């Protein structure tokens, strides 16, 4: 569990189709201090260009860990997997790929990327300041149904009864069954 303040990199084709659900990407990485300013400039450009020019993007959120300087988290959502693939062909995404190829990561801070299919309706969510949680949960197969019931009820309660909860988004990994990204 990581908390960060809200403010992509080289992805691979290792994910399945999202079956009409929003296609999500969660990413964490740590840049070397000397690469921080360039990273922030490039990722903010990626964010701005994506939100302004890509009709298939639903959300692009960037945040820095509150306790670990230069550790960043990203959450992106697209209407479909094809919309994400179109994003990876843009010049602003490729600027990030070029930056990534320069090995700007702190030791042990290389990008960790999780692809998932959302369990919510696809809707555009504007960028806003917020405190966020980035959580991965790994569920035993025999507890899956009970887990999903609890999480669905938790989402309903958070969405309806918690005025400070701006968003409760989760989805199952497209690569590893019973792995959920929040």
């Amino acid at each position: 569990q990581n908390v960060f303040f809200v403010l992509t990199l080289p992805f691979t084709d290792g994910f399945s189709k999202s079956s009409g659900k929003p296609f999500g990407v969660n990413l964490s990485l740590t840049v070397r201090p000397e690469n921080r300013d360039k990273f922030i400039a490039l990722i903010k450009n990626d964010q701005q260009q994506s939100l302004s020019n890509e009709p298939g993007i639903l959300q692009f959120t960037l945040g820095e860990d509150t306790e670990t300087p230069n550790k960043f988290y990203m959450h992106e959502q697209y209407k479909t997997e094809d919309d994400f693939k179109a994003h990876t062909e843009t010049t602003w995404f490729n600027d990030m790929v070029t930056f990534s190829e320069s090995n700007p990561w702190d030791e042990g801070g290389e990008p960790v990327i999780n692809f998932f299919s959302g369990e919510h309706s696809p809707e555009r969510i504007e960028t806003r300041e917020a405190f966020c949680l980035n959580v991965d949960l790994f569920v035993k197969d025999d507890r899956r149904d009970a887990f999903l019931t609890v999480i669905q009820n938790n989402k309903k309660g958070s969405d309806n009864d918690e005025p400070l909860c701006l968003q409760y988004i989760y989805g199952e990994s497209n690569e590893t069954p019973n792995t959920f990204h929040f």
Side-chain angles (χ1 to χ4, degrees):
Q1 170 173 312
N2 299 295
V3 179
F4 60 93
F5 181 73
V6 175
L7 288 149
T8 282
L9 310 175
F11 296 103
T12 61
D13 286 340
F15 39 88
S16 62
K17 294 290 179 187
S18 60
S19 305
K21 298 178 182 179
F23 183 81
V25 181
N26 279 355
L27 180 132
S28 64
L29 55 84
T30 306
V31 295
R32 292 186 186 123
E34 64 269 20
N35 296 315
R36 176 188 174 83
D37 292 342
K38 184 170 185 174
F39 169 76
I40 290 174
L42 285 168
I43 199 65
K44 283 188 174 184
N45 183 61
D46 186 4
Q47 179 187 46
Q48 179 185 21
Q49 294 295 328
S50 297
L51 292 170
S52 297
N53 299 302
E54 297 178 37
I57 194 165
L58 299 173
Q59 184 174 17
F60 189 131
T61 302
L62 169 67
E64 183 173 9
D65 195 281
T66 58
E67 297 177 2
T68 307
N70 303 317
K71 182 169 186 170
F72 294 90
Y73 302 93
M74 278 164 269
H75 171 75
E76 299 174 47
Q77 288 183 58
Y78 299 84
K79 291 178 185 174
T80 67
E81 180 182 342
D82 287 339
D83 291 319
F84 170 73
K85 288 180 179 179
H87 168 69
T88 66
E89 296 173 8
T90 63
T91 57
W92 43 91
F93 178 87
N94 283 300
D95 289 344
M96 289 302 305
V97 170
T98 300
F99 175 75
S100 297
E101 290 169 348
S102 72
N103 193 25
W105 317 120
D106 209 10
E107 186 175 337
E110 296 79 11
V112 175
I113 305 164
N114 295 301
F115 300 104
F116 64 94
S117 297
E119 296 296 328
H120 56 284
S121 299
E123 65 181 76
R124 177 82 180 234
I125 300 172
E126 297 303 321
T127 302
R128 60 202 185 251
E129 290 188 4
F131 283 94
C132 303
L133 297 176
N134 184 345
V135 179
D136 297 324
L137 295 177
F138 310 94
V139 181
K140 292 181 179 180
D141 193 45
D142 64 334
R143 303 288 171 96
R144 178 186 173 85
D145 291 341
F147 170 80
L148 288 172
T149 299
V150 169
I151 291 303
Q152 290 162 357
N153 287 331
N154 196 16
K155 176 177 175 30
K156 183 190 283 185
S158 295
D159 288 345
N160 297 325
D161 301 330
E162 297 179 30
L164 297 178
C165 180
L166 300 177
Q167 172 178 331
Y168 190 112
I169 299 293
Y170 70 96
E172 185 169 7
S173 170
N174 288 4
E175 298 166 338
T176 308
N178 297 325
T179 297
F180 293 84
H181 306 293
F182 293 75

